[in-house]
mmCIF file with all atom_site columns, all heavy atoms in Angstrom:
data_model
loop_
_atom_site.group_PDB
_atom_site.id
_atom_site.type_symbol
_atom_site.label_atom_id
_atom_site.label_alt_id
_atom_site.label_comp_id
_atom_site.label_asym_id
_atom_site.label_entity_id
_atom_site.label_seq_id
_atom_site.pdbx_PDB_ins_code
_atom_site.Cartn_x
_atom_site.Cartn_y
_atom_site.Cartn_z
_atom_site.occupancy
_atom_site.B_iso_or_equiv
_atom_site.pdbx_formal_charge
_atom_site.auth_seq_id
_atom_site.auth_comp_id
_atom_site.auth_asym_id
_atom_site.auth_atom_id
_atom_site.pdbx_PDB_model_num
ATOM 1  N N   . GLU U 1 188 ? -0.226 50.950 -39.662 1.00 0.00 ? 188 GLU U N   1
ATOM 2  C CA  . GLU U 1 188 ? 0.865  50.396 -40.482 1.00 0.00 ? 188 GLU U CA  1
ATOM 3  C C   . GLU U 1 188 ? 0.756  48.919 -40.631 1.00 0.00 ? 188 GLU U C   1
ATOM 4  O O   . GLU U 1 188 ? 0.257  48.255 -39.752 1.00 0.00 ? 188 GLU U O   1
ATOM 5  C CB  . GLU U 1 188 ? 2.236  50.686 -39.799 1.00 0.00 ? 188 GLU U CB  1
ATOM 6  C CG  . GLU U 1 188 ? 2.811  52.032 -40.006 1.00 0.00 ? 188 GLU U CG  1
ATOM 7  C CD  . GLU U 1 188 ? 4.193  52.049 -39.546 1.00 0.00 ? 188 GLU U CD  1
ATOM 8  O OE1 . GLU U 1 188 ? 4.567  51.521 -38.531 1.00 0.00 ? 188 GLU U OE1 1
ATOM 9  O OE2 . GLU U 1 188 ? 5.040  52.895 -40.113 1.00 0.00 ? 188 GLU U OE2 1
ATOM 10 N N   . LEU U 1 189 ? 1.130  48.411 -41.723 1.00 0.00 ? 189 LEU U N   1
ATOM 11 C CA  . LEU U 1 189 ? 1.049  46.973 -42.083 1.00 0.00 ? 189 LEU U CA  1
ATOM 12 C C   . LEU U 1 189 ? 2.580  46.449 -41.917 1.00 0.00 ? 189 LEU U C   1
ATOM 13 O O   . LEU U 1 189 ? 3.461  46.969 -42.685 1.00 0.00 ? 189 LEU U O   1
ATOM 14 C CB  . LEU U 1 189 ? 0.521  46.630 -43.423 1.00 0.00 ? 189 LEU U CB  1
ATOM 15 C CG  . LEU U 1 189 ? 0.585  45.200 -43.782 1.00 0.00 ? 189 LEU U CG  1
ATOM 16 C CD1 . LEU U 1 189 ? -0.225 44.342 -42.770 1.00 0.00 ? 189 LEU U CD1 1
ATOM 17 C CD2 . LEU U 1 189 ? 0.033  45.007 -45.200 1.00 0.00 ? 189 LEU U CD2 1
ATOM 18 N N   . VAL U 1 190 ? 2.858  45.586 -40.959 1.00 0.00 ? 190 VAL U N   1
ATOM 19 C CA  . VAL U 1 190 ? 4.306  45.271 -40.723 1.00 0.00 ? 190 VAL U CA  1
ATOM 20 C C   . VAL U 1 190 ? 4.333  43.719 -40.833 1.00 0.00 ? 190 VAL U C   1
ATOM 21 O O   . VAL U 1 190 ? 3.517  43.062 -40.261 1.00 0.00 ? 190 VAL U O   1
ATOM 22 C CB  . VAL U 1 190 ? 4.809  45.705 -39.354 1.00 0.00 ? 190 VAL U CB  1
ATOM 23 C CG1 . VAL U 1 190 ? 6.247  45.166 -39.039 1.00 0.00 ? 190 VAL U CG1 1
ATOM 24 C CG2 . VAL U 1 190 ? 4.680  47.217 -39.189 1.00 0.00 ? 190 VAL U CG2 1
ATOM 25 N N   . ALA U 1 191 ? 5.411  43.209 -41.468 1.00 0.00 ? 191 ALA U N   1
ATOM 26 C CA  . ALA U 1 191 ? 5.648  41.780 -41.502 1.00 0.00 ? 191 ALA U CA  1
ATOM 27 C C   . ALA U 1 191 ? 7.043  41.497 -41.130 1.00 0.00 ? 191 ALA U C   1
ATOM 28 O O   . ALA U 1 191 ? 7.930  42.165 -41.554 1.00 0.00 ? 191 ALA U O   1
ATOM 29 C CB  . ALA U 1 191 ? 5.316  41.258 -42.915 1.00 0.00 ? 191 ALA U CB  1
ATOM 30 N N   . VAL U 1 192 ? 7.299  40.388 -40.334 1.00 0.00 ? 192 VAL U N   1
ATOM 31 C CA  . VAL U 1 192 ? 8.659  39.972 -40.048 1.00 0.00 ? 192 VAL U CA  1
ATOM 32 C C   . VAL U 1 192 ? 8.863  38.658 -40.826 1.00 0.00 ? 192 VAL U C   1
ATOM 33 O O   . VAL U 1 192 ? 8.032  37.758 -40.638 1.00 0.00 ? 192 VAL U O   1
ATOM 34 C CB  . VAL U 1 192 ? 8.772  39.667 -38.559 1.00 0.00 ? 192 VAL U CB  1
ATOM 35 C CG1 . VAL U 1 192 ? 10.143 39.130 -38.282 1.00 0.00 ? 192 VAL U CG1 1
ATOM 36 C CG2 . VAL U 1 192 ? 8.606  40.942 -37.697 1.00 0.00 ? 192 VAL U CG2 1
ATOM 37 N N   . ILE U 1 193 ? 9.766  38.619 -41.816 1.00 0.00 ? 193 ILE U N   1
ATOM 38 C CA  . ILE U 1 193 ? 9.966  37.499 -42.704 1.00 0.00 ? 193 ILE U CA  1
ATOM 39 C C   . ILE U 1 193 ? 11.236 36.894 -42.403 1.00 0.00 ? 193 ILE U C   1
ATOM 40 O O   . ILE U 1 193 ? 12.199 37.485 -42.195 1.00 0.00 ? 193 ILE U O   1
ATOM 41 C CB  . ILE U 1 193 ? 9.853  38.049 -44.083 1.00 0.00 ? 193 ILE U CB  1
ATOM 42 C CG1 . ILE U 1 193 ? 8.561  38.711 -44.415 1.00 0.00 ? 193 ILE U CG1 1
ATOM 43 C CG2 . ILE U 1 193 ? 10.161 36.869 -45.069 1.00 0.00 ? 193 ILE U CG2 1
ATOM 44 C CD1 . ILE U 1 193 ? 8.476  39.421 -45.781 1.00 0.00 ? 193 ILE U CD1 1
ATOM 45 N N   . GLY U 1 194 ? 11.176 35.533 -42.339 1.00 0.00 ? 194 GLY U N   1
ATOM 46 C CA  . GLY U 1 194 ? 12.440 34.777 -42.204 1.00 0.00 ? 194 GLY U CA  1
ATOM 47 C C   . GLY U 1 194 ? 12.126 33.433 -41.796 1.00 0.00 ? 194 GLY U C   1
ATOM 48 O O   . GLY U 1 194 ? 10.944 32.948 -41.639 1.00 0.00 ? 194 GLY U O   1
ATOM 49 N N   . SER U 1 195 ? 13.117 32.515 -41.676 1.00 0.00 ? 195 SER U N   1
ATOM 50 C CA  . SER U 1 195 ? 12.835 31.014 -41.327 1.00 0.00 ? 195 SER U CA  1
ATOM 51 C C   . SER U 1 195 ? 12.581 30.932 -39.909 1.00 0.00 ? 195 SER U C   1
ATOM 52 O O   . SER U 1 195 ? 13.081 31.620 -39.155 1.00 0.00 ? 195 SER U O   1
ATOM 53 C CB  . SER U 1 195 ? 14.028 30.237 -41.823 1.00 0.00 ? 195 SER U CB  1
ATOM 54 O OG  . SER U 1 195 ? 15.151 30.643 -41.095 1.00 0.00 ? 195 SER U OG  1
#
Side-chain angles (χ1 to χ4, degrees):
E188 279 187 327
L189 179 61
V190 177
V192 177
I193 300 173
S195 60

